[in-house]
């Protein structure tokens, strides 16, 4: 029995050691990838990422240049792909006419004098404001449901329910519920304004994956990731 116990003990130790080593190696690999990306961003800034080199190029050549300068894409879909070009900004590169339309719409919403605070900021000087083949916008973190509670004191489920009621012409009861919470009421007003004045596809705001967390003057704020997908763009290119 003693031999069996000792054998079992050694076997367990071996398994634990293997798991720990795999965990350590994984952490080292993740840190290596993080450092590799930081180095790529730093080298891109030092070498001088040139937007002029994107002009007149095919989509494939634009992608090739971006990968050479800043590494792989950090996101994207059927109409646009996204590269992080430094610690504060991303490049949204249009794949096709759908992406160009979304870049143009997103640019006009963000650059409006009375721009909705739900829109991500854009860098007008570095964006392609002639053909909208690319857009430079602020880098934001993916949002979590609990961020709404922490930022505005409002439950995510109430945000979703308000949006659903808003589409049906209602939603006033949520202002009553949060009447003593100015931050929550501001968010509800911003959502109403976006839906009423920007022809926004408000249904997208019901999904947390379409929200991001931004730092505005030292304060966290929630923003919509794709204001370019307005109802006009959706009707023209997606229906």
């Amino acid at each position: 029995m003693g031999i069996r116990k000792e054998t079992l003990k050694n076997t367990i130790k071996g398994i634990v050691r293997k798991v720990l080593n795999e965990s350590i190696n994984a952490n080292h690999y993740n840190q290596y990838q993080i450092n590799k990306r930081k180095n790529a961003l730093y080298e891109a800034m030092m070498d001088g990422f040139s937007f002029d080199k994107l002009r007149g190029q095919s989509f494939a050549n634009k992608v090739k240049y971006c990968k050479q300068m800043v590494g792989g894409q950090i996101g994207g879909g059927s109409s646009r792909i996204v590269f992080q070009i430094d610690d504060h900004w991303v490049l949204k590169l249009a794949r096709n006419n759908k992406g160009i339309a979304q870049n143009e719409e997103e640019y006009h919403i963000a650059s409006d004098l009375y721009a909705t605070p739900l829109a991500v900021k854009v860098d007008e000087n570095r964006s392609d404001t002639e053909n909208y083949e690319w857009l430079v916008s602020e880098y934001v973190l993916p949002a979590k449901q609990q961020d709404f509670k922490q930022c505005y004191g409002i439950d995510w489920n109430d945000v979703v329910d308000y949006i659903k009621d808003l589409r049906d012409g209602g939603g006033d009861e949520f202002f009553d519920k949060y009447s003593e919470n100015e931050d929550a009421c501001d968010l509800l007003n911003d959502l109403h304004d976006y839906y009423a004045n920007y022809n926004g596809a408000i249904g997208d705001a019901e999904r947390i994956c379409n929200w991001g967390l931004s730092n505005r003057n030292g304060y966290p704020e929630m923003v919509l990731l794709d204001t370019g997908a307005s109802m006009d763009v959706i009707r023209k290119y997606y229906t």
Side-chain angles (χ1 to χ4, degrees):
M1 290 294 292
I3 296 176
R4 288 184 177 179
K5 285 184 178 179
E6 190 65 27
T7 301
L8 180 60
K9 186 188 298 183
N10 290 333
T11 301
I12 292 174
K13 284 183 178 179
I15 293 173
V16 171
R17 189 178 296 111
K18 181 180 179 182
V19 171
L20 287 174
N21 285 335
E22 288 176 351
S23 177
I24 291 171
N25 289 334
N27 287 333
H28 277 262
Y29 176 77
N30 289 336
Q31 190 59 49
Y32 168 76
Q33 292 296 325
I34 292 171
N35 289 336
K36 183 179 179 182
R37 178 154 194 83
K38 285 183 176 179
N39 289 336
L41 290 173
Y42 175 77
E43 290 172 3
M45 287 184 287
M46 294 299 291
D47 291 342
F49 184 98
S50 174
F51 292 93
D52 287 335
K53 292 185 178 180
L54 297 177
R55 299 186 187 280
Q57 296 295 321
S58 66
F59 173 74
N61 284 339
K62 290 190 186 79
V63 172
K64 182 179 179 180
Y65 176 73
C66 289
K67 286 183 176 180
Q68 288 175 343
M69 296 299 293
V70 298
Q73 67 192 68
I74 63 170
S78 63
S79 59
R80 301 187 290 183
I81 60 174
V82 183
F83 294 92
Q84 186 177 354
I85 56 176
D86 59 34
D87 290 339
H88 304 287
W89 300 95
V90 298
L91 175 72
K92 296 181 178 180
L93 198 61
R95 287 180 179 271
N96 44 41
N97 288 335
K98 292 188 295 184
I100 289 174
Q102 286 177 239
N103 278 347
E104 183 175 6
E105 186 77 4
E106 189 170 319
Y107 170 79
H108 286 306
I109 290 175
S111 60
D112 187 285
L113 181 62
Y114 302 103
T116 170
L118 297 180
V120 294
K121 295 180 179 179
V122 299
D123 186 332
E124 298 183 33
N125 293 325
R126 295 190 292 176
S127 296
D128 177 14
T129 57
E130 295 180 6
N131 302 309
Y132 300 100
E133 293 182 352
W134 70 84
L135 186 74
V136 177
S137 64
E138 65 177 317
Y139 172 72
V140 299
L141 297 172
K144 300 177 181 178
Q145 294 182 6
Q146 58 266 33
D147 291 335
F148 285 85
K149 191 71 172 179
Q150 294 172 352
C151 292
Y152 305 104
I154 188 172
D155 292 326
W156 165 249
N157 289 335
D158 282 343
V159 174
V160 174
D161 289 341
Y162 171 71
I163 293 170
K164 291 178 179 178
D165 286 355
L166 187 62
R167 288 188 297 175
D168 296 330
D172 291 343
E173 65 272 18
F174 291 96
F175 286 94
D176 295 333
K177 180 176 181 178
Y178 291 97
S179 60
E180 297 183 2
N181 184 336
E182 184 178 349
D183 291 335
C185 288
D186 284 344
L187 175 65
L188 298 178
N189 275 319
D190 289 339
L191 283 166
H192 180 275
D193 177 66
Y194 175 66
Y195 180 63
N197 299 322
Y198 291 92
N199 199 24
I202 194 67
D204 286 349
E206 296 176 18
R207 296 181 293 169
I208 193 64
C209 63
N210 288 323
W211 288 90
L213 183 63
S214 176
N215 186 327
R216 300 276 173 84
N217 300 317
Y219 294 95
E221 288 192 20
M222 310 303 295
V223 295
L224 289 168
L225 298 180
D226 191 7
T227 54
S230 66
M231 291 305 301
D232 287 340
V233 172
I234 290 174
R235 291 189 192 101
K236 185 174 182 178
Y237 294 98
Y238 292 90
T239 58

